[in-house]
Amino acid sequence: MQNNNPNPNQNQIQIELTEDVAQGTYSNLVVIAHSASEFIFDFIRLVPGIPKAKVKNRIIMTPDNAKRLLFALQENIQKYEEAAKNNFQNQKNFGDILPPVGMPGQA
């Protein structure tokens, strides 16, 4: 296949990851809302025994990018499960995890 792009680096995006962002933010709950023009993801950290939880991060995306995120998550979960089958004999398969009550596929 021939590359007609005279500068192959022209389409590459350089991503900068600062030290504070690289540390990450732990979240064990996400609340998702949407409108006609955006999806809003509120990432929350719940601590057992504490009734109040704060939103640690809010990400806002277009519907197109939210769907791309869905596809990327599906692809990465599939890769993780394939690797887990080979490396971790007793690792729980994501397929064994049920969606929360009230989600599609739940009674």
Side-chain angles (χ1 to χ4, degrees):
M1 184 167 156
Q2 183 179 356
N3 184 352
N4 293 330
N5 188 348
N7 184 357
N9 293 330
Q10 184 176 359
N11 292 330
Q12 292 182 352
I13 298 172
Q14 293 188 6
I15 298 172
E16 180 181 343
L17 182 62
T18 61
E19 284 185 41
D20 57 327
V21 173
Q23 295 298 312
T25 302
Y26 179 77
S27 172
N28 52 8
L29 175 68
V30 63
V31 175
I32 304 170
H34 69 276
S35 69
S37 59
E38 59 196 17
F39 274 75
I40 301 164
F41 301 86
D42 285 334
F43 291 89
I44 300 163
R45 182 183 315 148
L46 289 176
V47 179
I50 299 178
K52 189 174 182 180
K54 288 184 179 180
V55 172
K56 293 295 182 177
N57 212 328
R58 173 174 274 190
I59 305 296
I60 303 170
M61 294 183 172
T62 65
D64 288 349
N65 285 331
K67 195 154 191 181
R68 287 183 183 97
L69 174 62
L70 170 67
F71 292 147
L73 283 170
Q74 287 174 327
E75 180 182 345
N76 279 272
I77 288 171
Q78 181 181 11
K79 288 177 182 178
Y80 173 85
E81 288 182 330
E82 289 170 5
K85 285 179 189 176
N86 297 328
N87 298 324
F88 313 114
Q89 302 283 328
N90 297 321
Q91 180 73 26
K92 187 171 187 174
N93 188 332
F94 281 119
D96 298 334
I97 299 172
L98 298 175
V101 174
M103 296 290 294
Q106 281 293 93

XYZ file of all heavy atoms in Angstrom:
846
model
N 0.842 -1.182 0.000
C 0.000 0.000 0.000
C 0.886 1.244 0.000
O 1.825 1.358 0.764
C -0.881 -0.026 1.254
C -1.857 1.080 1.306
S -3.046 0.675 2.617
C -3.601 2.281 2.996
N 0.578 2.152 -0.864
C 1.388 3.354 -1.013
C 0.822 4.480 -0.151
O -0.384 4.689 -0.078
C 1.397 3.781 -2.487
C 2.279 4.976 -2.758
C 2.270 5.336 -4.237
O 1.671 4.654 -5.041
N 2.930 6.416 -4.580
N 1.717 5.184 0.508
C 1.313 6.320 1.324
C 1.440 7.582 0.480
O 2.534 7.971 0.105
C 2.203 6.403 2.567
C 1.767 7.516 3.501
O 0.907 8.313 3.170
N 2.370 7.550 4.666
N 0.309 8.220 0.161
C 0.311 9.420 -0.663
C 0.556 10.683 0.157
O 0.617 11.765 -0.383
C -1.019 9.550 -1.422
C -1.175 8.445 -2.445
O -0.187 7.951 -2.987
N -2.404 8.044 -2.700
N 0.658 10.548 1.450
C 0.890 11.679 2.322
C 2.378 12.010 2.302
O 3.207 11.199 2.691
C 0.430 11.331 3.743
C 0.454 12.530 4.668
O 1.007 13.572 4.334
N -0.151 12.367 5.820
N 2.758 13.209 1.834
C 4.181 13.538 1.751
C 4.865 13.601 3.116
O 6.061 13.388 3.234
C 4.208 14.904 1.069
C 2.833 15.468 1.253
C 1.903 14.291 1.400
N 4.124 13.897 4.154
C 4.684 13.968 5.492
C 3.908 13.008 6.390
O 2.838 13.345 6.892
C 4.588 15.399 6.038
C 5.248 15.556 7.391
O 5.736 14.585 7.969
N 5.248 16.766 7.896
N 4.429 11.770 6.619
C 3.672 10.790 7.394
C 3.411 11.215 8.835
O 2.480 10.744 9.464
C 4.543 9.536 7.348
C 5.887 9.985 6.932
C 5.706 11.278 6.182
N 4.209 12.129 9.391
C 4.010 12.601 10.760
C 2.938 13.674 10.860
O 2.571 14.081 11.949
C 5.325 13.132 11.341
C 6.335 12.019 11.516
O 5.975 10.881 11.754
N 7.598 12.360 11.375
N 2.435 14.137 9.717
C 1.467 15.228 9.684
C 0.175 14.860 10.420
O -0.450 15.706 11.031
C 1.158 15.598 8.242
C 0.242 16.785 8.093
C 0.052 17.170 6.639
O 0.630 16.560 5.748
N -0.749 18.161 6.401
N -0.234 13.590 10.380
C -1.484 13.168 10.996
C -1.311 12.692 12.434
O -2.272 12.289 13.054
C -2.132 12.056 10.165
C -2.599 12.583 8.831
O -2.962 13.742 8.710
N -2.572 11.737 7.823
N -0.108 12.710 12.966
C 0.124 12.264 14.334
C -0.156 13.397 15.313
O 0.159 14.550 15.057
C 1.554 11.779 14.506
C 1.845 10.500 13.753
C 3.267 10.021 14.002
O 4.070 10.710 14.608
N 3.565 8.838 13.513
N -0.743 13.018 16.426
C -1.032 13.984 17.483
C -0.024 13.771 18.598
O 0.191 12.646 19.037
C -2.461 13.784 18.031
C -3.487 14.008 16.930
C -2.719 14.704 19.218
C -4.894 13.643 17.331
N 0.599 14.835 19.026
C 1.510 14.740 20.144
C 0.718 15.009 21.415
O 0.086 16.051 21.559
C 2.657 15.736 19.991
C 3.567 15.400 18.832
C 4.809 16.285 18.811
O 5.033 17.069 19.709
N 5.592 16.131 17.772
N 0.756 14.051 22.334
C -0.017 14.142 23.567
C 0.942 14.376 24.723
O 1.922 13.668 24.874
C -0.818 12.848 23.790
C -1.809 12.655 22.646
C -1.530 12.889 25.139
C -2.512 11.335 22.644
N 0.636 15.381 25.531
C 1.453 15.680 26.700
C 0.726 15.187 27.945
O -0.461 15.440 28.132
C 1.686 17.179 26.814
C 2.529 17.565 28.004
C 2.735 19.064 28.127
O 2.511 19.778 27.137
O 3.088 19.509 29.223
N 1.440 14.463 28.791
C 0.889 13.962 30.041
C 1.711 14.552 31.177
O 2.856 14.183 31.388
C 0.954 12.426 30.072
C 0.382 11.742 31.298
C -1.112 12.025 31.435
C 0.624 10.244 31.218
N 1.115 15.505 31.890
C 1.832 16.153 32.983
C 1.908 15.198 34.174
O 1.119 14.253 34.284
C 1.135 17.458 33.407
O -0.181 17.144 33.864
C 1.077 18.452 32.255
N 2.837 15.472 35.084
C 3.039 14.590 36.235
C 1.797 14.485 37.116
O 1.437 13.400 37.564
C 4.223 15.065 37.071
C 5.556 14.738 36.447
C 6.716 15.106 37.353
O 6.613 14.879 38.570
O 7.708 15.625 36.832
N 1.117 15.608 37.352
C -0.055 15.557 38.224
C -1.199 14.769 37.587
O -1.903 14.029 38.269
C -0.505 16.959 38.646
C -0.824 17.863 37.472
O -0.174 17.739 36.422
O -1.723 18.718 37.608
N -1.381 14.878 36.284
C -2.425 14.119 35.600
C -2.022 12.648 35.501
O -2.866 11.752 35.617
C -2.714 14.713 34.204
C -3.679 13.831 33.424
C -3.289 16.121 34.334
N -0.748 12.366 35.335
C -0.263 10.991 35.222
C -0.534 10.187 36.490
O -0.646 8.961 36.434
C 1.232 10.989 34.904
N -0.665 10.858 37.631
C -0.962 10.158 38.882
C -2.358 9.529 38.838
O -2.630 8.558 39.519
C -0.868 11.124 40.063
C 0.517 11.652 40.303
C 1.490 10.542 40.654
O 1.207 9.713 41.503
N 2.620 10.532 39.982
N -3.249 10.091 38.045
C -4.592 9.552 37.906
C -5.489 9.902 39.080
O -5.038 10.412 40.099
N -6.762 9.629 38.913
C -7.758 9.829 39.952
C -8.563 8.549 40.053
O -9.156 8.110 39.066
C -8.692 11.001 39.603
O -7.915 12.178 39.436
C -9.728 11.235 40.679
N -8.587 7.936 41.227
C -9.339 6.698 41.415
C -10.829 6.999 41.466
O -11.275 7.940 42.108
C -8.913 5.995 42.705
C -9.695 4.726 42.943
C -9.407 3.575 42.234
C -10.746 4.695 43.849
C -10.133 2.418 42.427
C -11.479 3.548 44.049
C -11.170 2.408 43.339
O -11.888 1.267 43.526
N -11.605 6.182 40.761
C -13.058 6.304 40.757
C -13.654 4.902 40.777
O -13.181 4.014 40.078
C -13.509 7.052 39.495
O -14.909 7.014 39.379
N -14.697 4.711 41.589
C -15.373 3.416 41.592
C -16.868 3.554 41.270
O -17.649 2.656 41.486
C -15.161 2.684 42.917
C -15.513 3.518 44.129
O -16.061 4.602 44.017
N -15.178 3.005 45.292
N -17.227 4.725 40.743
C -18.604 4.964 40.309
C -18.593 6.060 39.251
O -17.843 7.038 39.377
C -19.477 5.407 41.491
C -20.916 5.820 41.180
C -21.734 4.610 40.723
C -21.571 6.466 42.383
N -19.386 5.880 38.217
C -19.553 6.944 37.229
C -21.046 7.150 36.997
O -21.804 6.186 36.880
C -18.803 6.643 35.901
C -19.340 5.402 35.219
C -18.865 7.826 34.958
N -21.458 8.397 36.997
C -22.840 8.762 36.699
C -22.820 9.416 35.326
O -22.038 10.343 35.081
C -23.404 9.728 37.765
C -24.792 10.198 37.394
C -23.404 9.056 39.135
N -23.672 8.925 34.438
C -23.680 9.402 33.064
C -25.011 10.073 32.758
O -26.073 9.519 33.040
C -23.438 8.238 32.078
C -22.127 7.518 32.417
C -23.432 8.750 30.633
C -21.918 6.228 31.664
N -24.936 11.269 32.192
C -26.124 12.002 31.743
C -25.866 12.443 30.306
O -24.724 12.460 29.854
C -26.372 13.210 32.639
N -26.935 12.783 29.604
C -26.747 13.253 28.228
C -27.845 14.221 27.819
O -28.920 14.248 28.401
C -26.693 12.068 27.251
C -28.000 11.356 27.105
N -28.410 10.388 27.984
C -28.983 11.489 26.202
C -29.593 9.934 27.618
N -29.965 10.591 26.536
N -27.482 15.015 26.834
C -28.440 15.895 26.167
C -28.334 15.586 24.680
O -27.636 14.655 24.287
C -28.098 17.361 26.444
O -26.894 17.711 25.787
N -28.961 16.371 23.869
C -28.882 16.152 22.424
C -27.474 16.389 21.881
O -27.097 15.843 20.849
C -29.876 17.057 21.697
N -26.680 17.185 22.595
C -25.382 17.570 22.042
C -24.175 17.096 22.840
O -23.043 17.288 22.403
C -25.313 19.089 21.912
O -25.488 19.686 23.187
N -24.392 16.484 24.032
C -23.230 16.071 24.814
C -23.565 14.954 25.787
O -24.712 14.776 26.181
C -22.646 17.259 25.577
C -23.622 17.904 26.528
C -23.194 19.288 26.987
O -22.319 19.898 26.350
O -23.745 19.749 27.985
N -22.519 14.208 26.146
C -22.574 13.218 27.214
C -21.726 13.749 28.354
O -20.634 14.284 28.123
C -22.031 11.862 26.743
C -23.058 11.010 26.066
C -23.466 11.290 24.771
C -23.616 9.927 26.723
C -24.418 10.509 24.140
C -24.581 9.138 26.094
C -24.978 9.433 24.802
N -22.225 13.599 29.567
C -21.508 14.072 30.747
C -21.214 12.867 31.632
O -22.128 12.117 31.999
C -22.336 15.113 31.522
C -22.650 16.304 30.611
C -21.602 15.558 32.782
C -23.754 17.188 31.112
N -19.937 12.674 31.957
C -19.484 11.579 32.800
C -18.949 12.180 34.100
O -17.952 12.900 34.083
C -18.357 10.784 32.110
C -18.752 10.202 30.784
C -18.639 10.955 29.623
C -19.227 8.904 30.692
C -18.989 10.422 28.386
C -19.580 8.365 29.461
C -19.469 9.123 28.307
N -19.622 11.906 35.208
C -19.148 12.344 36.520
C -18.514 11.142 37.216
O -19.195 10.152 37.515
C -20.295 12.894 37.367
C -20.742 14.264 36.920
O -19.922 14.996 36.336
O -21.907 14.621 37.158
N -17.197 11.224 37.444
C -16.455 10.156 38.088
C -16.389 10.437 39.581
O -15.973 11.510 40.008
C -15.056 10.041 37.478
C -15.088 9.531 36.061
C -15.209 10.411 35.000
C -15.027 8.173 35.803
C -15.251 9.946 33.697
C -15.074 7.694 34.506
C -15.190 8.585 33.441
N -16.801 9.439 40.368
C -16.991 9.598 41.803
C -16.195 8.524 42.537
O -16.041 7.407 42.039
C -18.494 9.468 42.141
C -19.277 10.552 41.383
C -18.756 9.503 43.634
C -20.750 10.301 41.294
N -15.703 8.861 43.723
C -15.052 7.884 44.595
C -15.930 7.671 45.816
O -16.144 8.593 46.605
C -13.676 8.368 45.028
C -12.948 7.348 45.898
C -11.611 7.843 46.403
N -10.851 8.492 45.360
C -10.002 9.503 45.564
N -9.814 9.985 46.775
N -9.345 10.037 44.563
N -16.482 6.456 45.939
C -17.282 6.090 47.105
C -16.369 5.434 48.131
O -15.568 4.571 47.796
C -18.369 5.086 46.726
C -19.532 5.597 45.895
C -20.459 4.445 45.540
C -20.301 6.660 46.640
N -16.511 5.839 49.384
C -15.745 5.239 50.471
C -16.740 4.533 51.386
O -17.717 5.155 51.827
C -14.952 6.317 51.249
C -14.182 5.695 52.395
C -14.013 7.069 50.304
N -16.520 3.246 51.678
C -17.461 2.512 52.537
C -17.651 3.208 53.885
O -16.701 3.686 54.497
C -16.787 1.154 52.732
C -15.872 1.014 51.549
C -15.419 2.406 51.222
N -18.904 3.286 54.307
C -19.214 3.867 55.599
C -19.363 5.379 55.601
O -19.725 5.966 56.608
N -19.063 6.010 54.486
C -19.204 7.465 54.398
C -20.349 7.755 53.421
O -20.257 7.418 52.241
C -17.892 8.134 53.944
C -16.801 7.837 54.971
C -18.090 9.637 53.758
C -15.448 8.393 54.619
N -21.425 8.373 53.916
C -22.618 8.540 53.078
C -22.500 9.622 52.000
O -23.337 9.703 51.117
C -23.707 8.912 54.087
C -22.966 9.540 55.215
C -21.627 8.856 55.274
N -21.473 10.438 52.074
C -21.332 11.526 51.109
C -20.147 11.236 50.194
O -19.083 10.828 50.648
C -21.107 12.846 51.858
C -21.161 14.065 50.984
C -21.086 15.325 51.827
C -21.186 16.562 50.955
N -21.112 17.778 51.746
N -20.341 11.471 48.904
C -19.270 11.256 47.933
C -19.178 12.475 47.026
O -20.188 13.072 46.661
C -19.538 10.006 47.105
N -17.953 12.827 46.662
C -17.746 13.983 45.788
C -17.404 13.528 44.378
O -16.746 12.518 44.180
C -16.580 14.835 46.301
C -16.873 15.598 47.561
C -15.691 16.486 47.912
C -15.989 17.286 49.166
N -14.869 18.162 49.528
N -17.833 14.319 43.415
C -17.401 14.108 42.039
C -15.929 14.497 41.977
O -15.552 15.605 42.355
C -18.234 14.952 41.048
C -17.659 14.874 39.646
C -19.693 14.508 41.064
N -15.096 13.565 41.525
C -13.658 13.813 41.457
C -13.241 14.364 40.100
O -12.235 15.051 39.976
C -12.879 12.522 41.738
C -13.032 12.032 43.158
C -12.413 13.026 44.099
C -12.475 12.586 45.534
N -11.808 13.518 46.415
N -14.034 14.054 39.079
C -13.706 14.527 37.740
C -14.956 14.496 36.883
O -15.766 13.577 37.012
C -12.621 13.638 37.127
C -11.717 14.398 36.191
O -12.134 15.333 35.527
N -10.471 13.978 36.137
N -15.130 15.474 36.033
C -16.242 15.518 35.084
C -15.658 15.602 33.679
O -14.845 16.468 33.387
C -17.141 16.717 35.343
C -18.217 16.901 34.272
C -19.172 17.993 34.608
N -20.211 17.409 35.461
C -21.320 18.035 35.804
N -21.539 19.272 35.422
N -22.221 17.444 36.555
N -16.108 14.694 32.829
C -15.688 14.680 31.435
C -16.925 14.902 30.574
O -17.949 14.244 30.772
C -15.028 13.329 31.058
C -13.858 12.997 31.986
C -14.612 13.317 29.590
C -12.698 13.956 31.909
N -16.845 15.834 29.650
C -17.957 16.141 28.742
C -17.504 15.817 27.328
O -16.422 16.239 26.907
C -18.372 17.616 28.867
C -18.751 17.937 30.320
C -19.517 17.937 27.913
C -18.938 19.404 30.603
N -18.320 15.043 26.613
C -17.992 14.601 25.248
C -19.173 14.798 24.313
O -20.317 14.784 24.755
C -17.668 13.096 25.226
C -16.460 12.675 25.931
S -16.263 10.888 25.670
C -14.674 10.674 26.386
N -18.856 14.893 23.038
C -19.905 14.853 22.022
C -20.426 13.417 21.933
O -19.733 12.475 22.324
C -19.362 15.263 20.643
O -18.396 14.289 20.224
C -18.742 16.662 20.673
N -21.644 13.219 21.424
C -22.149 11.858 21.249
C -21.225 11.000 20.377
O -21.018 9.818 20.669
C -23.514 12.067 20.582
C -23.956 13.403 21.090
C -22.686 14.222 21.143
N -20.638 11.580 19.342
C -19.706 10.822 18.490
C -18.523 10.310 19.297
O -18.133 9.148 19.190
C -19.177 11.684 17.336
C -20.218 11.960 16.277
O -21.293 11.332 16.307
O -19.950 12.806 15.404
N -17.941 11.170 20.112
C -16.780 10.751 20.894
C -17.170 9.782 22.011
O -16.388 8.906 22.362
C -16.041 11.966 21.448
C -15.244 12.673 20.369
O -14.795 12.053 19.410
N -15.078 13.958 20.512
N -18.376 9.918 22.564
C -18.836 8.961 23.567
C -18.959 7.568 22.945
O -18.580 6.573 23.560
C -20.170 9.410 24.155
N -19.434 7.507 21.717
C -19.556 6.206 21.052
C -18.173 5.641 20.725
O -17.939 4.443 20.849
C -20.402 6.322 19.783
C -20.847 4.976 19.264
C -22.107 5.062 18.478
C -22.646 3.686 18.204
N -23.865 3.726 17.412
N -17.237 6.494 20.347
C -15.863 6.034 20.125
C -15.264 5.496 21.420
O -14.534 4.507 21.412
C -15.005 7.166 19.563
C -15.303 7.493 18.124
C -14.377 8.574 17.576
N -14.730 8.903 16.224
C -15.500 9.938 15.878
N -15.972 10.765 16.802
N -15.800 10.167 14.619
N -15.576 6.132 22.542
C -15.119 5.651 23.844
C -15.708 4.266 24.118
O -15.003 3.367 24.583
C -15.509 6.630 24.949
C -15.217 6.173 26.385
C -13.724 5.970 26.605
C -15.772 7.186 27.374
N -16.988 4.087 23.834
C -17.635 2.790 24.007
C -16.902 1.713 23.217
O -16.574 0.645 23.742
C -19.099 2.860 23.567
C -19.837 1.530 23.459
C -20.018 0.894 24.836
C -21.181 1.737 22.774
N -16.620 1.973 21.954
C -15.920 0.996 21.112
C -14.516 0.714 21.649
O -14.071 -0.433 21.675
C -15.839 1.470 19.661
C -17.177 1.520 18.962
C -17.419 2.490 18.009
C -18.196 0.622 19.259
C -18.650 2.552 17.349
C -19.420 0.677 18.612
C -19.646 1.640 17.648
N -13.817 1.751 22.081
C -12.465 1.569 22.612
C -12.494 0.737 23.893
O -11.637 -0.131 24.100
C -11.808 2.927 22.859
N -13.479 0.975 24.761
C -13.612 0.183 25.983
C -13.919 -1.277 25.656
O -13.326 -2.194 26.246
C -14.709 0.752 26.881
C -14.347 1.994 27.669
C -15.594 2.591 28.327
C -13.292 1.688 28.718
N -14.821 -1.519 24.709
C -15.149 -2.888 24.324
C -13.908 -3.615 23.802
O -13.646 -4.753 24.183
C -16.251 -2.901 23.261
C -17.607 -2.542 23.805
C -18.661 -2.408 22.730
O -18.390 -1.994 21.607
N -19.889 -2.750 23.076
N -13.143 -2.940 22.962
C -11.940 -3.543 22.397
C -10.913 -3.851 23.489
O -10.327 -4.934 23.522
C -11.329 -2.606 21.351
C -10.068 -3.148 20.716
C -9.460 -2.178 19.706
O -10.141 -1.228 19.282
O -8.297 -2.384 19.348
N -10.714 -2.919 24.401
C -9.722 -3.121 25.451
C -10.162 -4.160 26.470
O -9.329 -4.922 26.977
C -9.384 -1.790 26.129
C -8.382 -1.012 25.309
O -7.190 -1.196 25.479
N -8.861 -0.181 24.391
N -11.437 -4.238 26.788
C -11.925 -5.273 27.701
C -11.741 -6.648 27.063
O -11.317 -7.596 27.728
C -13.390 -5.018 28.101
C -13.451 -3.819 29.047
C -14.025 -6.260 28.739
C -14.850 -3.321 29.347
N -12.025 -6.754 25.776
C -11.831 -8.028 25.074
C -10.359 -8.447 25.117
O -10.044 -9.595 25.415
C -12.307 -7.913 23.631
C -12.153 -9.202 22.845
C -12.611 -9.059 21.400
O -12.860 -7.965 20.912
N -12.724 -10.177 20.718
N -9.445 -7.508 24.867
C -8.014 -7.812 24.927
C -7.597 -8.215 26.332
O -6.806 -9.133 26.529
C -7.193 -6.608 24.454
C -7.281 -6.362 22.968
C -6.494 -5.118 22.587
C -6.617 -4.818 21.115
N -5.889 -3.581 20.750
N -8.138 -7.514 27.347
C -7.825 -7.835 28.738
C -8.275 -9.255 29.069
O -7.542 -10.031 29.681
C -8.504 -6.826 29.667
C -8.373 -7.198 31.126
C -7.244 -6.835 31.846
C -9.363 -7.934 31.769
C -7.102 -7.177 33.185
C -9.233 -8.283 33.102
C -8.097 -7.903 33.797
O -7.961 -8.257 35.107
N -9.502 -9.602 28.677
C -10.028 -10.935 28.980
C -9.222 -12.020 28.286
O -8.957 -13.073 28.874
C -11.503 -11.032 28.592
C -12.395 -10.261 29.526
C -13.862 -10.372 29.207
O -14.219 -10.552 28.010
O -14.663 -10.278 30.134
N -8.804 -11.776 27.042
C -7.977 -12.763 26.338
C -6.645 -12.957 27.041
O -6.186 -14.083 27.227
C -7.765 -12.327 24.891
C -9.019 -12.449 24.035
C -8.880 -11.802 22.665
O -7.774 -11.323 22.315
O -9.894 -11.764 21.945
N -6.026 -11.861 27.474
C -4.759 -11.952 28.198
C -4.963 -12.616 29.555
O -4.128 -13.414 29.991
C -4.145 -10.568 28.364
N -6.080 -12.306 30.218
C -6.355 -12.880 31.538
C -6.524 -14.393 31.449
O -6.081 -15.117 32.332
C -7.589 -12.229 32.150
N -7.163 -14.868 30.386
C -7.331 -16.322 30.212
C -5.975 -17.006 30.133
O -5.798 -18.110 30.627
C -8.135 -16.618 28.945
C -9.607 -16.340 29.067
C -10.319 -16.626 27.771
C -11.737 -16.144 27.802
N -12.414 -16.318 26.517
N -5.014 -16.359 29.504
C -3.694 -16.949 29.330
C -2.811 -16.779 30.557
O -1.949 -17.619 30.819
C -2.994 -16.331 28.116
C -3.731 -16.619 26.831
O -4.354 -17.661 26.681
N -3.674 -15.694 25.897
N -2.996 -15.703 31.315
C -2.072 -15.379 32.396
C -2.611 -15.620 33.795
O -1.845 -15.875 34.709
C -1.635 -13.911 32.284
C -0.897 -13.652 30.987
O -0.156 -14.487 30.521
N -1.127 -12.488 30.408
N -3.904 -15.476 33.979
C -4.485 -15.562 35.310
C -5.590 -16.611 35.283
O -6.712 -16.302 34.918
C -5.054 -14.209 35.751
C -4.126 -13.055 35.521
C -4.447 -12.058 34.605
C -2.935 -12.953 36.209
C -3.589 -10.989 34.389
C -2.075 -11.891 36.003
C -2.395 -10.903 35.098
N -5.284 -17.804 35.689
C -6.225 -18.920 35.597
C -7.546 -18.652 36.317
O -8.599 -19.006 35.841
C -5.568 -20.183 36.178
C -4.279 -20.562 35.489
C -4.487 -21.225 34.149
O -5.469 -21.923 33.973
N -3.592 -21.016 33.203
N -7.480 -18.017 37.480
C -8.686 -17.822 38.284
C -9.246 -16.405 38.200
O -10.083 -16.026 39.000
C -8.394 -18.174 39.752
C -8.024 -19.630 39.898
O -8.594 -20.495 39.242
N -7.055 -19.908 40.758
N -8.757 -15.614 37.253
C -9.216 -14.225 37.112
C -10.691 -14.216 36.727
O -11.127 -14.963 35.862
C -8.390 -13.517 36.034
C -8.751 -12.083 35.797
C -8.286 -11.175 36.922
O -7.344 -11.485 37.612
N -8.946 -10.062 37.083
N -11.475 -13.366 37.375
C -12.895 -13.241 37.052
C -13.036 -12.633 35.661
O -12.387 -11.655 35.336
C -13.594 -12.365 38.087
C -15.093 -12.319 37.923
C -15.747 -11.630 39.089
C -17.241 -11.748 38.991
N -17.905 -11.227 40.165
N -13.869 -13.224 34.859
C -14.122 -12.752 33.509
C -15.151 -11.626 33.569
O -16.136 -11.728 34.294
C -14.649 -13.923 32.667
C -14.762 -13.600 31.211
O -14.961 -12.454 30.824
N -14.650 -14.604 30.386
N -14.933 -10.565 32.822
C -15.901 -9.467 32.795
C -17.275 -9.956 32.373
O -18.281 -9.381 32.750
C -15.456 -8.349 31.847
C -14.419 -7.444 32.435
C -13.177 -7.326 31.842
C -14.679 -6.698 33.558
C -12.221 -6.481 32.369
C -13.735 -5.848 34.097
C -12.501 -5.737 33.495
N -17.326 -11.041 31.589
C -18.602 -11.606 31.183
C -19.404 -12.124 32.364
O -20.614 -12.275 32.294
N -18.714 -12.404 33.487
C -19.383 -12.870 34.691
C -19.963 -11.723 35.501
O -20.724 -11.938 36.440
C -18.395 -13.634 35.583
C -17.837 -14.868 34.896
O -18.521 -15.405 33.993
O -16.729 -15.287 35.249
N -19.608 -10.497 35.171
C -20.077 -9.325 35.899
C -21.375 -8.853 35.267
O -21.440 -8.606 34.070
C -19.025 -8.208 35.874
C -17.736 -8.709 36.541
C -19.545 -6.944 36.548
C -16.563 -7.746 36.398
N -22.419 -8.750 36.088
C -23.720 -8.332 35.580
C -23.874 -6.819 35.673
O -23.338 -6.188 36.592
C -24.829 -9.004 36.393
C -24.859 -10.519 36.337
C -25.924 -11.059 37.285
C -25.113 -11.005 34.917
N -24.632 -6.221 34.730
C -24.899 -4.784 34.822
C -25.782 -4.496 36.014
O -26.467 -5.381 36.523
C -25.606 -4.474 33.511
C -26.138 -5.742 33.015
C -25.265 -6.835 33.574
N -25.778 -3.251 36.503
C -26.635 -2.892 37.637
C -28.107 -3.150 37.332
O -28.520 -3.142 36.175
C -26.384 -1.395 37.816
C -25.106 -1.127 37.129
C -24.984 -2.132 36.035
N -28.886 -3.377 38.361
C -30.333 -3.610 38.194
C -30.946 -2.428 37.461
O -30.621 -1.286 37.736
C -31.006 -3.785 39.581
C -32.515 -3.880 39.448
C -30.447 -5.017 40.280
N -31.813 -2.731 36.510
C -32.456 -1.691 35.728
C -31.750 -1.407 34.420
O -32.233 -0.651 33.592
N -30.580 -2.021 34.227
C -29.848 -1.837 32.975
C -30.375 -2.834 31.946
O -30.949 -3.861 32.312
C -28.347 -2.070 33.187
C -27.682 -1.075 34.119
S -27.555 0.568 33.415
C -26.432 0.267 32.075
N -30.180 -2.571 30.666
C -30.605 -3.527 29.634
C -30.003 -4.900 29.908
O -28.845 -5.015 30.295
C -30.052 -2.935 28.342
C -29.918 -1.475 28.632
C -29.591 -1.386 30.100
N -30.811 -5.946 29.761
C -30.335 -7.306 29.991
C -30.569 -7.775 31.411
O -30.281 -8.911 31.750
N -31.074 -6.919 32.281
C -31.355 -7.284 33.665
C -32.864 -7.381 33.870
O -33.619 -6.610 33.302
C -30.812 -6.227 34.635
C -29.333 -6.338 34.881
C -28.976 -7.604 35.618
O -28.673 -8.598 35.003
N -29.039 -7.572 36.925
N -33.273 -8.304 34.693
C -34.703 -8.456 35.003
C -35.121 -7.470 36.065
O -34.377 -6.990 36.836
C -34.982 -9.880 35.467
